[in-house]
Amino acid sequence: MSRITVRTENKRFPTAPNLYGIFFEDINRAGDGGLYPELLRNRSFEDSIEPKDCHTEQDGYALVSRAGWRDEFNHGEGLSRWIRKNGTPYTPVPAWYTNHAQMCLDRDDTLNVHRQVSLAVAFEKGGELYNTGFCGIAPKEGARYHFYMFARTETPVKVSVSVEEDAHEFGKLDFLLEGDGYVRYDGSFAADGDGRNARLVIRCPEGGKVNFGFCSLMPEDTYMGHGLRRDLVEKLRDLKPRFLRFPGGCIVEGFSPETAMQFKNVVGPVWERPGHQLMWHYRSYNGLGFHEYLQLCEDLDMEPLYVCNCGLTCQGRMPEFFEGEELEAMLQDTLYAIEYAIGDKTSEWGSLRAQMGHPEPFRLNYIEIGNENSGEVYEVRYRKFYDAIRKRYPHIRLIANTHLEEKGLQADIVDEHFYSTAEFFAENTNYYDNYDRKNPKIFLGELAVVRGWVGQLYGALGEAAFLIGMERNQDVVELASYAPLLENVDYNAWFPNLIRFNQRESIAIPTYYVWKMFGNSRGEDVVEADVETGTLYRPVKGMASLMGQAGLRYRNASWNGTPVGVTHELMGRVKEEEGSSCILPPDEEQRAEAEKLYRVDKDRVFAVFGEEQVTSGTFDIDIYAEEGREICLGVYSGRMPKEVYMADETHPPKEWNAANVKPFVWTLENGVSTFREQKFPSDRNLDEERIAELRYGEFNHFRYEVDGKQMKLYVNGECIHQVNVPGFPSLSSVVCDSPSEVIIKIVNMSPEEDAVEITLDCQVEDAYQVTLLTGEKQAENSFEEPEKVHDVLQSHSGASSHFYYTAPAYSVNVLRLVKVQDCCTEQ
């Protein structure tokens, strides 16, 4: 049984007004074909064209940047697994196919200077050109759709445009193509039925030659008529988000100079927006651009939070740095973006905003300078952008990617990102408790469980526990958003994502409901609340490993008294010698593999013993000790749970590698023994340093004993460290209030229900409401069961200044208690 003691009279600080927001990045085809509901894929015919500062290899399979970063390209179709999963047949122009017609890309006759090609088609009589959309077009009966295209012909050509599936025609438009140069043709139709795998067909009954410059098919019914997919925006609206971070994410940086995001390329008529290749394996047409983001913010009453490129391509993808005129141009692009958002309609870019239908300024109070940038190259560019923006727009709060205050630079807010396991988040509910209140505010710009209970209820519980700690420190944490936001399930590049969709419907993962519950229950002040509860231990597995300098000699390795050998040579090769074994330095194959991994030292050895699934037992080994040589043993050397994301899809990592095995590390060097946990950004000591005497020039006996909760480490029979496996509170809670109510948020990560004893210093009414999220630990939502896990509003009774609430096993609970006015009791 847990206890929560609430003191509403002790207000800690006001709740942060903009705490809960959303972050949009075009990943998993979240933009085109998703939030921006274009139904035609490759509407500008440019998907198969590599960026000018890149080249392709292996017959178009791989795209390689000038700096050497590789990605799957497949002639513009993206990931190989998308092609396999979706059964995509080859075509030289992605998504476009012909029957009795020939097509090719024309680089000389384009719609405008921003288009690289047009699609030249020579139709035979009755010939067809068709587009398969984003894994099919899904018309809905009675819904209206608007089609337009820019086309040029030398002589008049008759065409019909229809949406068809299995010989059924959902709607049809007829056009006579004629006139000088490119002419725009528009039409609308209402679908006469439901479809799932339809295609857009342009049919030419009499034959002829046509150059298509650009085309589009979109539903007419969009959210508030502003061109965004209704069901997706409604799900965003229900979160009550207070800000929108856009447009990324890594796409802001790009993976090459040409693919870096620039404001000037994402405004104006959509057919004049150049589009660009994203590092998420596809091309964006930028129909969802700066104006559309600002309009969405206005529609949902959110603060825009614009992320600008500060002169760097992605530092995780072999970066290039903008210098001189290029850097000045990127700074100017950011200043243009601000002017577009909040400048007078008579200004250069404010006038374009007015032309786009919004003469009055939007809001813009937050700008983030760069995305996930760091180091001296970032510091120089950050200062340049900071000074220029602050001088012209002093009201804007400026966000840094790292703690630049440690370098003497100013920042209003610092953006921190966390991707890990459910247990990591639960263990770090107190992460900001001791944060220096004089330092910049915190923006939790990206956080998600990406290993283990991914997209499942237990993952959401871990995240919820972390949010509980965040709310207890919202005098420090000003903003927070989950990442990523949206996923077209047919083009998955990252998982999990808050909202998943196909061409007809959308669902939310359990985490969505946590953010909805917390974002809809804010209160006015955070109040004092003490929590007493039990401890849950992190799940651990795996036997031992040896790490450190090459040349380490050992013998007599055993597990529970049975001899055991090295099962995985992650770095270095084991050489058997007479009576012992030695770990040789990593070979060229291992070193090449390490080049693709994150934070792996290519000069250190790493060898894993025995089985992976064990959680308790005794490991014994004799290791030869030499003065000046460190000895490192790993405890619990199992692999971390897999994650979907791969840094280089063209060279997937091995199942066992030096980056996905993170044991607790026991190190002995110069007579000092340390025991630590490998964590980002720096390791954490599990115990104090201890003196451990070794007999140099001979084998010493090492032993450890583990039972899933405790670890005991011995040298030559002497216990050096005795440490508990890291754990976390089984229940966490934060309390906010207003003049009329008390809001208690409770996360129970235990497999057992918890009869929570709640004591308040004020009287509350008997009846209260609870919003509850619970279910099986591994429960997740699907299109077949879209609300298997969702929030449920319940009515309860029995509340008072002292009462019990039963929090179900594996649950998130938001209690809303109504205060009895003018009545307080001393506790």
Side-chain angles (χ1 to χ4, degrees):
M1 181 180 74
S2 300
R3 296 181 178 85
I4 302 174
T5 303
V6 180
R7 289 179 285 275
T8 61
E9 289 298 305
N10 294 345
K11 314 291 187 195
R12 297 186 59 212
F13 38 75
T15 55
N18 296 325
L19 183 61
Y20 288 101
I22 54 178
F23 160 52
F24 180 87
E25 179 172 13
D26 198 342
I27 180 173
N28 312 298
R29 290 202 187 273
D32 300 314
L35 188 59
Y36 182 77
E38 173 61 62
L39 301 180
L40 302 183
R41 184 160 62 91
N42 195 13
R43 67 179 183 176
S44 66
F45 319 110
E46 297 164 315
D47 281 13
S48 59
I49 302 173
E50 67 269 20
K52 67 181 181 182
D53 48 14
C54 301
H55 69 275
T56 57
E57 295 179 350
Q58 298 173 258
D59 194 27
Y61 162 69
L63 180 69
V64 185
S65 74
R66 188 168 63 191
W69 180 72
R70 290 169 57 90
D71 189 27
E72 283 195 341
F73 189 61
N74 287 306
H75 305 282
E77 291 286 1
L79 296 184
S80 299
R81 54 187 166 90
W82 295 349
I83 298 171
R84 293 192 298 268
K85 174 181 179 292
N86 300 329
T88 306
Y90 173 77
T91 173
V93 184
W96 292 97
Y97 299 84
T98 58
N99 286 321
H100 302 292
Q102 292 77 46
M103 66 177 177
C104 67
L105 299 180
D106 188 337
R107 294 177 179 267
D108 299 319
D109 185 5
T110 62
L111 175 61
N112 55 55
V113 296
H114 300 290
R115 300 268 67 85
Q116 298 183 66
V117 296
S118 63
L119 184 65
V121 183
F123 292 96
E124 300 173 18
K125 286 188 177 181
E128 300 174 349
L129 170 71
Y130 63 92
N131 184 285
T132 54
F134 296 88
C135 284
I137 296 169
K140 296 180 181 179
E141 185 172 8
R144 293 196 63 82
Y145 297 88
H146 181 249
F147 170 82
Y148 71 87
M149 64 180 172
F150 290 87
R152 186 190 66 76
T153 61
E154 295 293 339
T155 59
V157 177
K158 291 181 180 179
V159 300
S160 66
V161 178
S162 58
V163 174
E164 303 176 7
E165 182 177 359
D166 296 331
H168 178 79
E169 195 175 81
F170 296 98
K172 180 181 177 182
L173 302 166
D174 294 311
F175 299 101
L176 175 62
L177 309 184
E178 58 182 347
D180 295 328
Y182 282 94
V183 177
R184 174 168 170 161
Y185 301 89
D186 289 76
S188 297
F189 65 89
D192 69 354
D194 291 330
R196 283 196 172 271
N197 193 30
R199 58 181 61 169
L200 177 106
V201 181
I202 301 176
R203 190 173 285 113
C204 190
E206 300 173 4
K209 294 183 178 181
V210 182
N211 272 55
F212 297 94
F214 191 85
C215 57
S216 173
L217 177 67
M218 294 184 72
E220 291 188 356
D221 179 26
T222 59
Y223 190 80
M224 295 184 69
H226 289 148
L228 300 186
R229 180 166 156 174
R230 178 180 291 277
D231 65 319
L232 296 182
V233 179
E234 287 174 346
K235 279 185 168 62
L236 301 181
R237 176 201 63 197
D238 292 346
L239 292 169
K240 291 189 177 178
R242 297 299 307 133
F243 68 88
L244 169 64
R245 177 180 177 229
F246 70 91
C250 295
I251 67 168
V252 168
E253 305 153 283
F255 57 87
S256 67
E258 189 184 48
T259 60
M261 181 69 75
Q262 295 189 56
F263 150 79
K264 66 182 180 183
N265 291 332
V266 296
V267 289
V270 294
W271 53 89
E272 293 183 1
R273 301 180 188 180
H276 68 293
Q277 185 77 19
L278 307 180
M279 71 268 297
W280 299 118
H281 327 299
Y282 56 90
R283 185 177 181 84
S284 169
Y285 324 132
N286 290 333
L288 180 59
F290 192 74
H291 184 96
E292 290 75 19
Y293 289 119
L294 293 174
Q295 185 65 66
L296 176 61
C297 287
E298 185 172 271
D299 292 344
L300 299 187
D301 191 25
M302 300 183 291
E303 291 283 346
L305 193 164
Y306 178 57
V307 184
C308 69
N309 185 303
C310 65
L312 298 167
T313 66
C314 180
Q315 289 180 275
R317 292 174 172 87
M318 297 186 179
E320 295 189 53
F321 310 136
F322 294 82
E323 305 282 1
E325 292 183 4
E326 285 187 333
L327 180 57
E328 291 295 333
M330 293 302 288
L331 173 57
Q332 196 60 53
D333 188 75
T334 299
L335 297 176
Y336 289 156
I338 301 173
E339 183 177 281
Y340 184 99
I342 61 177
D344 187 88
K345 64 182 178 181
T346 61
S347 65
E348 178 184 0
W349 292 97
S351 65
L352 179 58
R353 181 194 68 237
Q355 293 173 37
M356 295 293 292
H358 202 285
E360 296 304 315
F362 289 105
R363 286 185 294 183
L364 186 58
N365 294 309
Y366 293 99
I367 287 184
E368 182 165 358
I369 301 173
N371 171 73
E372 294 185 334
N373 298 138
S374 61
E376 186 177 352
V377 291
Y378 175 57
E379 294 161 18
V380 170
R381 287 158 178 79
Y382 173 87
R383 183 191 296 273
K384 184 179 186 67
F385 277 63
Y386 179 96
D387 290 345
I389 298 170
R390 176 112 306 171
K391 180 178 179 180
R392 298 193 190 191
Y393 302 101
H395 75 281
I396 292 179
R397 292 177 63 73
L398 297 174
I399 303 171
N401 299 166
T402 57
H403 282 274
L404 296 182
E405 76 277 7
E406 297 172 359
K407 303 292 185 177
L409 299 176
Q410 292 183 309
D412 299 312
I413 305 171
V414 173
D415 186 1
E416 297 187 342
H417 298 175
F418 297 94
Y419 292 106
S420 193
T421 63
E423 293 80 12
F424 166 87
F425 286 109
E427 290 171 21
N428 284 280
T429 57
N430 62 347
Y431 191 86
Y432 293 106
D433 286 1
N434 298 316
Y435 183 79
D436 189 340
R437 267 53 185 170
K438 297 178 182 179
N439 284 343
K441 301 290 187 180
I442 295 296
F443 172 26
L444 287 171
E446 301 179 30
L447 63 92
V449 168
V450 295
R451 296 180 183 271
W453 308 94
V454 177
Q456 300 178 335
L457 176 63
Y458 197 69
L461 296 180
E463 294 159 344
F466 190 73
L467 295 181
I468 289 286
M470 175 192 76
E471 286 211 20
R472 289 202 301 258
N473 290 281
Q474 57 189 295
D475 61 326
V476 167
V477 183
E478 183 173 328
L479 309 161
S481 53
Y482 182 87
L485 184 63
L486 296 172
E487 173 203 349
N488 184 326
V489 295
D490 294 316
Y491 300 96
N492 168 270
W494 181 291
F495 191 78
N497 306 278
L498 205 61
I499 299 168
R500 312 182 73 201
F501 65 89
N502 56 30
Q503 294 309 301
R504 289 191 62 87
E505 54 207 337
S506 58
I507 61 172
I509 66 171
T511 293
Y512 169 90
Y513 296 101
V514 171
W515 286 75
K516 178 186 174 188
M517 292 164 63
F518 284 12
N520 281 264
S521 303
R522 300 288 292 115
E524 295 182 8
D525 294 284
V526 179
V527 302
E528 276 191 10
D530 296 329
V531 179
E532 300 173 52
T533 190
T535 299
L536 299 174
Y537 291 95
R538 182 194 305 176
V540 285
K541 65 178 182 178
M543 289 190 190
S545 57
L546 287 178
M547 298 173 285
Q549 298 163 297
L552 191 67
R553 292 169 56 196
Y554 68 92
R555 68 187 183 189
N556 301 332
S558 68
W559 182 259
N560 291 336
T562 301
V564 62
V566 168
T567 50
H568 301 283
E569 298 170 319
L570 305 185
M571 295 293 290
R573 301 296 183 186
V574 177
K575 178 184 178 182
E576 301 298 331
E577 300 178 338
E578 186 174 347
S580 67
S581 300
C582 179
I583 307 181
L584 302 180
D587 59 25
E588 288 305 311
E589 178 187 352
Q590 291 175 323
R591 293 175 70 86
E593 180 74 12
E595 290 284 355
K596 301 178 292 186
L597 303 174
Y598 182 61
R599 286 165 60 86
V600 170
D601 188 339
K602 297 185 291 296
D603 296 318
R604 293 172 67 82
V605 299
F606 193 170
V608 177
F609 290 85
E611 299 297 324
E612 181 179 27
Q613 296 304 322
V614 296
T615 59
S616 61
T618 300
F619 180 75
D620 288 278
I621 192 170
D622 297 329
I623 301 176
Y624 192 81
E626 300 175 75
E627 287 195 55
R629 174 186 291 277
E630 67 174 2
I631 295 175
C632 287
L633 286 102
V635 180
Y636 286 121
S637 304
R639 289 170 295 173
M640 295 185 292
K642 285 185 178 180
E643 62 178 354
V644 169
Y645 168 67
M646 281 187 278
D648 181 359
E649 294 272 355
T650 68
H651 292 100
K654 293 181 179 179
E655 288 290 317
W656 282 83
N657 63 69
N660 72 355
V661 181
K662 296 289 185 184
F664 302 118
V665 180
W666 180 19
T667 302
L668 293 94
E669 188 173 15
N670 299 323
V672 177
S673 176
T674 61
F675 194 36
R676 69 185 191 278
E677 177 184 6
Q678 300 178 76
K679 295 187 70 174
F680 178 81
S682 59
D683 293 352
R684 178 175 72 94
N685 288 331
L686 295 172
D687 194 12
E688 297 177 357
E689 291 184 351
R690 308 284 185 185
I691 300 299
E693 293 186 6
L694 296 176
R695 300 189 297 267
Y696 293 110
E698 60 182 280
F699 284 92
N700 290 249
H701 186 70
F702 293 79
R703 162 181 284 200
Y704 73 70
E705 301 169 355
V706 293
D707 62 5
K709 294 182 179 180
Q710 193 174 71
M711 301 173 283
K712 297 180 180 179
L713 316 182
Y714 300 83
V715 177
N716 296 324
E718 179 184 357
C719 184
I720 305 298
H721 299 283
Q722 182 171 327
V723 177
N724 288 334
V725 170
F728 50 89
S730 64
L731 181 140
S732 53
S733 180
V734 65
V735 182
C736 301
D737 82 341
S738 70
S740 61
E741 66 178 346
V742 179
I743 301 171
I744 304 177
K745 295 173 181 171
I746 297 172
V747 176
N748 180 19
M749 297 193 67
S750 168
E752 307 293 336
E753 67 178 26
D754 193 338
V756 185
E757 181 181 3
I758 300 175
T759 303
L760 304 121
D761 64 351
C762 65
Q763 293 288 356
V764 294
E765 295 184 3
D766 177 79
Y768 64 103
Q769 288 190 325
V770 175
T771 306
L772 174 66
L773 184 73
T774 190
E776 298 175 351
K777 189 176 186 179
Q778 73 277 13
E780 56 189 311
N781 294 329
S782 65
F783 288 100
E784 294 71 32
E785 295 182 276
E787 292 192 335
K788 184 175 183 178
V789 185
H790 70 104
D791 55 330
V792 176
L793 182 63
Q794 300 177 340
S795 295
H796 286 242
S797 61
S800 68
S801 60
H802 184 265
F803 72 105
Y804 291 85
Y805 169 75
T806 301
Y810 302 132
S811 65
V812 181
N813 312 258
V814 179
L815 284 60
R816 302 192 77 136
L817 311 173
V818 179
K819 288 182 177 179
V820 174
Q821 299 301 314
D822 302 322
C823 183
C824 272
T825 58
E826 292 290 336
Q827 298 297 322

